[in-house]
């Protein structure tokens, strides 16, 4: 019987080395990986000669917005941005409007995402101020619980030692990770100078918050995931506290490759939380990826805002930048320029994120795994926000040279994106929600 689709003659990574392979796809799964001489017949064949055929990336930190914030991003534009950026699974954060705190709100999100998605979409929920009110009906549809100590989803939630421990207990009880934004800043504090903003959200604040969660972790057998590590000191503490799978951490390309003094900050182009740090921090984070292994995965923290909210003066501007269309090209540029090897790339962008959230059947190219694949070419270009499919087009990476371009994206065996065109209607490809695999 012919396979549904054959990706012929691409460059695969086999045992850490580049090798020419053909990949046969049947019923949404990878059926066979073979040398071109042994390939089966297929109903559709794509010649991938000269293309790197890689697992679609899994981005576990994305703000897709929609619902009350569809002017910033919709499930359609956000997941088109993901597909065009070589990402086949995104996991959506709960700080939406309304926030994801009840099964009613989560189901509303899932319904919208199902209609409009171009890639797989997983979800997180927040935790209510009064933890006993947590809506357990959400659990089967969640990949994790996410908390923001500096900006709680429910006003006046205080992240005391007891509250943090109870959040950890809740996540552990439901066998899902607790993710947190490490920042101990007081949520109600107002600032009137850029320096005050940076002081409020300093590395000291990041470290203080991390330590609070780590001390709660001693009391509870659960999984804790540190979002967007931005400081050398935080990475160091994580390395010291590593405990196989129960403490994991992520980093963004902007915290890895941009530093505060690259920008004059007259507007919000490079404003995000955590803020950009110094070059000592970026160097330490790069080291933490491959040397100390303090960091388990790369995420975009795609946080779209309208142009006028980014072009406002720094203090008034919104925090957050788009990242779905820059993350994989930037990381693959590291590989193509010899600063990162394939094993680290695949671990940090594909298999690592799947492992952190317990997503089964994704993150590697192997027989029986989901056919979530991206084909990439080595080509010089320059990042231009105006070219993004995301509604958010202001990026601090504007003008940065990249050497990698995703050209074909396959989600669950469907060719979603090919050379700038979307080949399926919204809602056709991918699953929402992506579920945990245990
Ligand atoms: O810069 C940020 N933007 N940091 C966050 O923690 C939230 C995000 C957003 O939702 O805009
Ligand atoms: Zn955050
Ligand atoms: Zn975020």
């Amino acid at each position: 019987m012919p396979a549904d689709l054959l990706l012929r003659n691409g460059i695969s990574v086999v045992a850490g080395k580049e090798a020419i392979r053909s990949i046969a796809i049947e019923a949404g799964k990878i059926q066979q990986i073979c040398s071109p001489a042994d390939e089966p017949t297929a109903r559709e064949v794509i010649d991938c000669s000269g293309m790197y055929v890689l697992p679609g990336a899994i981005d576990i930190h994305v703000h897709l917005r929609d619902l009350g914030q569809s002017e910033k991003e919709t499930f359609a534009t956000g997941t088109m941005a993901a597909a065009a950026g070589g990402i086949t699974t995104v996991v959506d954060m709960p700080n939406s409007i309304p926030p994801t705190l009840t099964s009613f709100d989560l189901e509303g999100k899932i319904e919208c995402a199902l209609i409009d998605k171009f890639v797989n979409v997983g979800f997180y929920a927040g935790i209510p101020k009064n933890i006993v009110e947590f809506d357990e009906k959400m659990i089967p549809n969640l990949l994790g619980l996410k908390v923001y100590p500096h900006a709680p989803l429910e006003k006046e939630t205080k992240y005391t030692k007891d509250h943090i421990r109870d959040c950890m207990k809740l996540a552990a009880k439901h066998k899902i990770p607790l993710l947190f934004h490490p920042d101990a800043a007081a949520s109600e504090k107002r600032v009137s100078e850029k320096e005050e903003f940076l002081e409020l959200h300093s590395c000291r604040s990041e470290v203080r918050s991390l330590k609070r969660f780590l001390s709660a972790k001693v009391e509870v057998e659960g999984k804790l995931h540190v979002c967007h590590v931005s400081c050398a000191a935080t990475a160091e503490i994580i390395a010291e506290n590593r405990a196989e799978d129960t403490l994991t951490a992520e980093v963004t390309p902007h915290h890895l490759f941009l530093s505060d003094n690259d920008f004059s900050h007259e507007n919000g182009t490079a404003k995000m939380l955590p803020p950009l740090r110094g070059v000592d921090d970026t160097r330490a984070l790069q080291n933490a990826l491959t040397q100390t292994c303090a960091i388990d995965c790369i995420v975009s923290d795609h946080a779209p805002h309208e142009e006028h909210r980014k072009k406002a003066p720094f203090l008034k501007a919104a925090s957050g930048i788009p990242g779905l269309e820059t993350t994989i090209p930037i990381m693959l540029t590291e590989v193509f320029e010899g600063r990162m090897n394939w094993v680290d790339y695949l671990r940090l962008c594909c298999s690592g994120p799947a492992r952190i959230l317990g997503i089964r059947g994704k993150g590697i190219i192997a027989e029986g795994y989901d056919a979530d694949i991206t084909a990439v070419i080595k080509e010089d270009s320059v990042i231009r926000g105006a070219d993004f499919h995301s509604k958010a087009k202001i990026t601090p990476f504007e003008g940065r040279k990249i050497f990698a371009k995703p050209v074909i994206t396959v989600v669950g065996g469907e060719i979603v994106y090919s050379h700038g065109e979307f080949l399926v209607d919204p809602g056709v490809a991918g699953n929402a929600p992506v579920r945990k695999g245990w």
Side-chain angles (χ1 to χ4, degrees):
M1 253 235 315
D4 290 337
L5 175 64
L6 186 72
L7 303 175
R8 170 177 286 163
N9 219 25
I11 307 164
S12 286
V13 180
V14 180
K17 299 222 166 49
E18 295 173 14
I20 304 300
R21 291 285 186 276
S22 292
I23 297 172
I25 294 166
E26 174 65 24
K29 307 272 182 204
I30 295 166
Q31 182 192 49
Q32 197 183 341
I33 304 157
C34 52
S35 58
D38 301 325
E39 78 197 7
T41 58
R43 274 183 282 277
E44 189 172 359
V45 178
I46 302 178
D47 180 12
C48 295
S49 307
M51 299 178 190
Y52 292 81
V53 180
L54 305 169
I58 299 179
D59 186 347
I60 66 169
H61 191 145
V62 173
H63 302 264
L64 283 177
R65 316 280 196 217
D66 212 321
L67 314 174
Q69 288 178 310
S70 53
E71 66 289 356
K72 291 182 193 281
E73 196 77 289
T74 63
F75 288 111
T77 55
T79 56
M80 285 165 94
I87 295 166
T88 50
T89 299
V90 296
V91 189
D92 176 63
M93 285 291 167
N95 66 335
S96 43
I97 298 180
T100 315
L101 285 166
T102 65
S103 53
F104 178 81
D105 290 325
L106 177 62
E107 279 157 25
K109 252 192 185 181
I110 292 170
E111 211 171 294
C112 289
L114 264 180
I115 295 169
D116 275 349
K117 69 184 166 33
F118 285 83
V119 300
N120 303 298
V121 186
F123 297 93
Y124 299 117
I127 298 177
K129 184 170 140 191
N130 187 358
I131 295 184
V132 294
E133 287 170 14
F134 178 78
D135 185 348
E136 299 194 344
K137 290 199 293 299
M138 291 191 285
I139 288 294
N141 291 328
L142 293 180
L143 291 172
L145 298 173
K146 169 74 188 282
V147 294
Y148 298 81
H150 71 299
L153 295 184
E154 243 191 296
K155 274 204 189 84
E156 287 157 24
T157 311
K158 292 276 177 272
Y159 282 83
T160 58
K161 195 169 181 280
D162 286 354
H163 189 74
I164 293 173
R165 188 202 50 228
D166 291 346
C167 289
M168 281 229 60
K169 276 191 180 160
L170 179 72
K173 173 180 163 198
H174 294 293
K175 294 188 165 46
I176 54 177
L178 178 70
L179 296 86
F180 74 107
H181 177 126
D183 189 348
S187 55
E188 56 285 351
K189 183 118 192 289
R190 294 281 160 265
V191 292
S192 52
E193 300 282 342
K194 185 192 92 187
E195 288 65 32
E196 255 186 278
F197 173 86
L198 295 179
E199 183 50 36
L200 183 64
H201 302 288
S202 64
C203 282
R204 272 195 308 288
S205 180
E206 186 165 305
V207 164
R208 197 174 305 139
S209 184
L210 173 62
K211 285 186 172 166
R212 284 181 190 160
F213 279 79
L214 286 177
S215 44
K217 187 175 173 290
V218 174
E219 295 176 49
V220 185
E221 268 301 303
K223 288 192 179 192
L224 184 63
H225 179 73
V226 192
C227 290
H228 42 48
V229 174
S230 69
C231 303
T234 338
E236 205 174 302
I237 297 169
I238 293 167
E240 283 163 7
N241 284 273
R242 279 238 74 100
E244 199 63 17
D245 272 10
T246 66
L247 178 66
T248 53
E250 61 181 41
V251 70
T252 67
H254 45 282
H255 292 115
L256 278 174
F257 301 120
L258 302 178
S259 71
D260 183 56
N261 47 20
D262 297 335
F263 297 91
S264 57
H265 294 305
E266 70 274 9
N267 64 25
T269 299
K271 184 178 181 186
M272 72 289 286
L273 282 175
L276 297 179
R277 310 293 190 188
V279 280
D280 290 351
D281 295 296
T282 58
R283 237 178 261 134
L285 294 176
Q286 289 169 31
N287 199 42
L289 281 186
T290 53
Q291 304 305 310
T292 65
C293 293
I295 307 284
D296 303 82
C297 76
I298 308 280
V299 299
S300 67
D301 195 3
H302 179 81
H305 292 287
E306 306 88 318
E307 181 169 321
H308 72 273
R309 301 273 287 124
K310 294 304 289 175
K311 289 214 164 146
F314 184 81
L315 280 181
K316 287 216 168 99
S319 297
I321 59 165
L324 286 170
E325 285 158 277
T326 49
T327 296
I328 295 308
I330 288 170
M331 295 316 298
L332 284 173
T333 297
E334 293 302 293
V335 177
F336 290 155
E337 295 216 300
R339 290 184 293 276
M340 179 175 278
N341 64 41
W342 278 118
V343 172
D344 285 333
Y345 169 82
L346 294 170
R347 171 176 63 83
L348 290 162
C349 297
C350 308
S351 60
R355 180 180 60 86
I356 291 167
L357 297 184
I359 300 170
R360 217 185 276 158
K362 294 194 185 297
I364 59 174
I365 292 186
E367 284 166 22
Y369 271 61
D370 293 350
D372 293 347
I373 295 172
T374 186
V376 175
I377 54 169
K378 229 185 217 179
E379 187 184 275
D380 290 20
S381 66
V382 161
I383 292 176
R384 295 275 173 236
D387 299 337
F388 290 172
H389 296 82
S390 167
K391 289 191 179 190
K393 300 186 192 293
I394 308 249
T395 168
F397 285 114
E398 184 76 28
R400 186 183 175 95
K401 274 194 177 170
I402 41 172
F403 302 106
K405 184 178 180 181
V407 286
I408 297 171
T409 301
V410 174
V411 177
E414 297 277 352
I415 309 161
V416 167
Y417 174 84
S418 175
H419 299 86
E421 307 277 322
F422 288 87
L423 305 187
V424 292
D425 287 331
V428 171
N431 294 313
V434 172
R435 290 172 208 275
K436 65 186 167 67
W438 64 73

